[in-house]
Amino acid sequence: MSSIKHLVYAVIRFLREQSQMDADTSIVQVQLKFAIQCLETVFKISPEDTHLAVSQPLTEIFTNSFCKNDIRPLSNSVPGDVGKADQLKDEGNNHMKEENYTAAVDCYTQAIELDPNNAVYYCNRAAAQSKLGHYTDAIKDCEKAIAIDSKYSKAYGRMGAIMTASSRMEKAVTSYQKALDLDPENDSYKSNLKIAEQKLREVSSPTGTGLSFDMTSLINNPAFISMAASLMQNPQVQQLMSGMMTNAIGGPAAGVGGLTDLSSLIQAGQQFAQQIQQQNPELIEQLRNHIRSRSFSSSTEDHS
């Protein structure tokens, strides 16, 4: 009953403050005073009971509680739920190792339902969502993990990997830098930050294409081989190659012509790249995804 009286006293104090502020209508004044009298009578409280006063006004208590709950919802979990949630997290981690990402998402989701205030579960689910290409959902999970624990460096690191995979290099750099600020000795964050910064420079460069192909994957790709064979049937390309061979046999005396043909070869290469982009955009996207998976693989996919 004592705690209830503290609460009621705080409510009465709030109503009294409101009655002093709402001086514009006498009806409001009467209604507030009547409410105060009712509470004082029912709970046997008088203005002299100052020992019931709390350290903060009721409005301040409510505001602080509301802001806190807006970021971190109240959890109804019990110890048994927490233990089950942790078990589901471990199952999700095993699915990640087996590359069964859909099952991993399901396990992490169940863990979150049991213990919604655990940042690790959101961060791990973000990794699984990213593997499925669900970048928007993955980013939301990282943001939720950070809202729960703003010092959780792994959430920022995972955000960096997701931003890189979705070609948002500026945000990738920002995320990796924040992760490194929180965990300065983490070599993975250091190396991935350098890679992200380099890719950002390439994208920002006036002469950069932002493609950065892996040549081995390119020349072994069937679609590329087919396109290259088609290009070699082009009379202009055949004439160019013939001229280059003639200059090579002619030696230094053909130097000027060699420079001209080199320039033409560069131009032909640029045309070839444009032709690939126009005729087979799927090949370009496939190569991009391959490069991303090579650059950001095991270093950012450790799970808690």
Side-chain angles (χ1 to χ4, degrees):
M1 187 66 178
S2 177
S3 60
I4 294 177
K5 282 196 170 187
H6 283 288
L7 174 61
V8 174
Y9 188 89
V11 173
I12 292 172
R13 179 181 174 185
F14 167 75
L15 294 176
R16 189 169 283 113
E17 290 173 352
Q18 292 300 306
S19 68
Q20 294 171 356
M21 293 170 58
D22 298 331
D24 50 332
T25 60
S26 57
I27 296 177
V28 172
Q29 291 273 333
V30 172
Q31 292 173 335
L32 288 172
K33 290 181 179 178
F34 179 73
I36 292 170
Q37 290 174 357
C38 288
L39 290 172
E40 288 178 338
T41 301
V42 171
F43 292 94
K44 296 180 174 56
I45 296 175
S46 68
E48 288 74 27
D49 293 329
T50 55
H51 65 282
L52 295 175
V54 293
S55 58
Q56 292 177 300
L58 187 62
T59 52
E60 190 173 327
I61 295 172
F62 175 80
T63 300
N64 292 340
S65 177
F66 179 80
C67 292
K68 180 180 179 182
N69 292 339
D70 189 47
I71 297 175
R72 184 181 299 187
L74 288 175
S75 172
N76 295 321
S77 60
V78 298
D81 291 338
V82 173
K84 177 61 176 177
D86 209 46
Q87 182 180 355
L88 286 165
K89 180 208 70 173
D90 292 338
E91 292 178 13
N93 292 351
N94 290 332
H95 286 308
M96 289 293 291
K97 294 175 183 177
E98 298 167 356
E99 299 185 358
N100 189 352
Y101 304 123
T102 301
V105 168
D106 184 57
C107 286
Y108 295 139
T109 300
Q110 292 182 57
I112 289 169
E113 290 172 354
L114 293 172
D115 186 8
N117 292 331
N118 193 313
V120 173
Y121 302 159
Y122 289 97
C123 192
N124 285 9
R125 189 172 68 174
Q129 296 280 25
S130 177
K131 286 294 187 180
L132 293 170
H134 303 162
Y135 298 129
T136 300
D137 291 334
I139 290 170
K140 288 180 180 178
D141 276 343
C142 285
E143 290 173 343
K144 185 65 178 180
I146 291 168
I148 293 173
D149 184 358
S150 61
K151 303 297 183 182
Y152 190 25
S153 63
K154 186 176 289 186
Y156 288 101
R158 189 141 291 152
M159 179 82 83
I162 295 166
M163 291 300 181
T164 299
S166 55
S167 300
R168 286 175 263 193
M169 302 315 302
E170 287 189 14
K171 292 184 177 180
V173 169
T174 301
S175 297
Y176 278 129
Q177 185 60 65
K178 180 63 176 179
L180 194 59
D181 290 343
L182 293 170
D183 187 3
E185 303 303 319
N186 191 303
D187 292 333
S188 175
Y189 299 156
K190 292 177 183 178
S191 62
N192 285 334
L193 176 59
K194 289 181 180 179
I195 293 172
E197 288 174 337
Q198 177 61 34
K199 287 183 177 291
L200 179 59
R201 285 192 291 268
E202 291 174 1
V203 172
S204 303
S205 171
T207 59
T209 63
L211 297 181
S212 304
F213 294 129
D214 182 335
M215 186 58 68
T216 301
S217 299
L218 185 63
I219 63 178
N220 288 326
N221 189 288
F224 175 84
I225 294 172
S226 175
M227 186 126 356
S230 175
L231 182 66
M232 292 304 296
Q233 300 301 317
N234 188 310
Q236 293 180 343
V237 175
Q238 292 177 352
Q239 183 179 359
L240 173 62
M241 297 301 294
S242 176
M244 290 182 64
M245 291 300 295
T246 300
N247 288 334
I249 296 173
V256 176
L259 290 175
T260 302
D261 286 338
L262 179 60
S263 175
S264 300
L265 180 62
I266 294 173
Q267 183 178 1
Q270 292 173 339
Q271 293 174 351
F272 182 38
Q274 292 175 358
Q275 183 178 352
I276 296 176
Q277 178 67 41
Q278 293 171 359
Q279 296 185 11
N280 200 334
E282 293 82 5
L283 173 60
I284 300 297
E285 186 60 29
Q286 181 182 350
L287 291 172
R288 281 176 175 157
N289 291 334
H290 177 73
I291 293 163
R292 290 168 186 158
S293 64
R294 284 168 60 90
S295 299
F296 295 86
S297 56
S298 59
S299 61
T300 58
E301 294 308 322
D302 56 319
H303 308 288
S304 301

Coordinates of all heavy atoms in Angstrom, one line a residue, residues 12 18 21-22 30 40 42 46 84 86 109 113 116 124 131 137 151 155 165 192 198-199 212 261 277 283 299 302:
I12 N -1.7 13.3 -7.5 CA -2.3 14.5 -6.9 C -1.5 15.7 -7.1 O -2.0 16.8 -7.4 CB -2.6 14.3 -5.4 CG1 -3.6 13.2 -5.2 CG2 -3.0 15.6 -4.7 CD1 -3.8 12.8 -3.7
Q18 N -1.6 21.1 -12.6 CA -2.4 21.4 -13.8 C -3.5 22.4 -13.4 O -3.8 23.3 -14.2 CB -3.0 20.1 -14.3 CG -2.1 19.1 -14.9 CD -1.3 19.7 -16.1 OE1 -2.0 20.2 -17.0 NE2 0.0 19.7 -16.0
M21 N -2.1 25.8 -13.6 CA -1.8 26.2 -15.0 C -3.0 26.5 -15.8 O -3.1 27.5 -16.6 CB -1.0 25.1 -15.7 CG 0.4 24.9 -15.1 SD 1.2 23.4 -15.8 CE 1.2 23.7 -17.5
D22 N -4.1 25.7 -15.6 CA -5.3 25.9 -16.4 C -6.3 26.9 -15.8 O -7.3 26.6 -15.3 CB -6.1 24.6 -16.6 CG -5.2 23.6 -17.4 OD1 -4.4 24.0 -18.2 OD2 -5.4 22.3 -17.1
V30 N -12.6 23.5 -11.2 CA -13.5 22.7 -10.3 C -13.3 21.2 -10.5 O -13.2 20.5 -9.5 CB -14.9 23.1 -10.5 CG1 -15.9 22.2 -9.7 CG2 -15.2 24.6 -10.2
E40 N -7.6 12.1 -2.4 CA -7.2 12.3 -1.0 C -8.1 11.5 0.0 O -7.6 10.9 1.0 CB -7.1 13.8 -0.6 CG -6.0 14.5 -1.3 CD -6.0 16.0 -1.0 OE1 -7.1 16.5 -0.6 OE2 -5.0 16.7 -1.2
V42 N -10.1 8.8 -0.7 CA -10.1 7.3 -0.9 C -8.8 6.8 -0.3 O -8.8 5.7 0.4 CB -10.2 7.0 -2.4 CG1 -9.9 5.5 -2.6 CG2 -11.6 7.4 -2.9
S46 N -3.1 13.6 2.6 CA -3.3 15.0 2.8 C -2.1 15.8 2.3 O -1.0 15.2 2.1 CB -3.5 15.4 4.3 OG -2.3 15.1 5.0
K84 N 15.7 -21.1 -23.9 CA 15.2 -21.6 -25.2 C 15.7 -20.7 -26.3 O 16.1 -21.2 -27.4 CB 13.7 -21.7 -25.1 CG 13.1 -22.2 -26.4 CD 13.5 -23.6 -26.8 CE 12.8 -24.1 -28.0 NZ 13.3 -25.4 -28.5
D86 N 18.3 -18.8 -26.5 CA 19.8 -19.1 -26.7 C 20.0 -20.4 -27.5 O 20.9 -20.5 -28.3 CB 20.5 -19.0 -25.4 CG 22.0 -18.6 -25.6 OD1 22.2 -17.5 -26.3 OD2 22.9 -19.2 -25.0
T109 N 14.5 -15.7 -35.6 CA 13.2 -15.0 -35.4 C 12.5 -15.6 -34.2 O 11.9 -14.8 -33.4 CB 12.3 -15.2 -36.7 OG1 12.9 -14.6 -37.8 CG2 10.9 -14.5 -36.5
E113 N 11.5 -13.6 -30.7 CA 10.1 -13.6 -30.1 C 10.2 -14.0 -28.6 O 9.4 -13.5 -27.8 CB 9.2 -14.6 -30.8 CG 8.9 -14.1 -32.3 CD 8.2 -15.2 -33.0 OE1 8.1 -16.4 -32.5 OE2 7.7 -14.9 -34.2
P116 N 13.2 -10.5 -26.9 CA 13.3 -9.4 -27.9 C 14.3 -8.3 -27.6 O 14.5 -7.4 -28.4 CB 11.9 -8.8 -27.9 CG 11.3 -9.1 -26.6 CD 11.9 -10.4 -26.2
N124 N 22.6 -11.5 -35.8 CA 22.8 -12.8 -36.5 C 21.7 -12.9 -37.6 O 22.0 -13.4 -38.7 CB 22.7 -13.9 -35.5 CG 24.0 -14.1 -34.7 OD1 24.8 -13.2 -34.7 ND2 24.1 -15.1 -33.9
K131 N 22.6 -12.9 -46.6 CA 23.0 -14.0 -47.5 C 21.9 -14.3 -48.5 O 22.1 -14.8 -49.6 CB 23.3 -15.2 -46.6 CG 24.7 -15.2 -45.9 CD 25.8 -15.2 -46.9 CE 27.1 -15.3 -46.1 NZ 28.3 -15.3 -47.1
D137 N 15.8 -5.8 -45.1 CA 15.5 -6.4 -43.8 C 16.7 -6.6 -42.9 O 16.7 -6.4 -41.7 CB 14.9 -7.8 -44.0 CG 13.5 -7.8 -44.6 OD1 12.8 -6.7 -44.4 OD2 13.1 -8.7 -45.3
K151 N 26.8 0.2 -28.2 CA 28.2 -0.1 -28.1 C 28.5 -1.5 -28.8 O 29.7 -2.0 -28.7 CB 28.7 -0.2 -26.7 CG 28.4 1.1 -25.9 CD 29.1 2.3 -26.5 CE 28.9 3.6 -25.7 NZ 29.6 4.8 -26.3
A155 N 27.5 -5.2 -34.7 CA 26.3 -4.8 -35.5 C 26.7 -3.7 -36.5 O 26.2 -3.7 -37.6 CB 25.3 -4.2 -34.5
A165 N 27.8 -5.0 -49.8 CA 27.1 -5.9 -50.7 C 26.0 -5.3 -51.5 O 25.8 -5.7 -52.7 CB 26.5 -7.1 -49.9
N192 N 38.5 -4.5 -43.8 CA 37.3 -4.2 -44.5 C 37.0 -2.7 -44.7 O 36.5 -2.3 -45.7 CB 36.1 -4.9 -43.8 CG 36.0 -6.4 -44.0 OD1 36.6 -6.9 -45.0 ND2 35.4 -7.1 -43.1
Q198 N 38.6 2.0 -50.6 CA 39.2 1.8 -51.9 C 38.0 1.7 -53.0 O 38.1 2.4 -54.0 CB 40.0 0.6 -52.0 CG 40.6 0.3 -53.4 CD 41.5 1.4 -54.0 OE1 42.2 2.1 -53.2 NE2 41.4 1.6 -55.3
K199 N 37.0 1.0 -52.7 CA 35.9 0.9 -53.6 C 35.1 2.2 -53.7 O 34.7 2.5 -54.8 CB 34.9 -0.2 -53.1 CG 35.4 -1.6 -53.3 CD 34.4 -2.7 -52.8 CE 34.9 -4.1 -53.1 NZ 35.0 -4.4 -54.5
S212 N 35.3 -3.5 -61.4 CA 36.4 -4.2 -60.8 C 36.3 -5.7 -61.0 O 36.2 -6.5 -60.0 CB 36.5 -3.9 -59.3 OG 36.6 -2.5 -59.1
D261 N 47.5 1.7 -83.0 CA 46.7 0.4 -82.8 C 46.5 0.2 -81.3 O 45.4 -0.4 -80.9 CB 47.5 -0.7 -83.4 CG 47.4 -0.7 -84.9 OD1 46.5 -0.1 -85.4 OD2 48.3 -1.3 -85.5
Q277 N 27.5 -5.0 -71.4 CA 26.5 -4.4 -70.5 C 25.1 -4.3 -71.2 O 24.1 -4.6 -70.5 CB 26.9 -2.9 -70.1 CG 26.0 -2.2 -69.3 CD 25.8 -2.8 -67.9 OE1 26.8 -3.2 -67.3 NE2 24.6 -2.8 -67.4
L283 N 25.2 -11.0 -66.8 CA 26.6 -11.3 -66.6 C 27.3 -10.3 -65.7 O 28.1 -10.7 -64.8 CB 27.3 -11.4 -68.0 CG 28.9 -11.6 -68.0 CD1 29.2 -12.9 -67.2 CD2 29.4 -11.6 -69.4
S299 N 35.5 -13.1 -43.1 CA 36.0 -12.2 -42.1 C 34.9 -11.5 -41.4 O 35.0 -11.0 -40.2 CB 36.9 -11.1 -42.8 OG 36.2 -10.4 -43.8
D302 N 31.4 -14.2 -38.7 CA 31.4 -14.9 -37.4 C 30.1 -14.6 -36.7 O 29.6 -13.6 -36.7 CB 32.6 -14.5 -36.6 CG 32.6 -13.0 -36.3 OD1 32.3 -12.2 -37.3 OD2 33.0 -12.6 -35.2

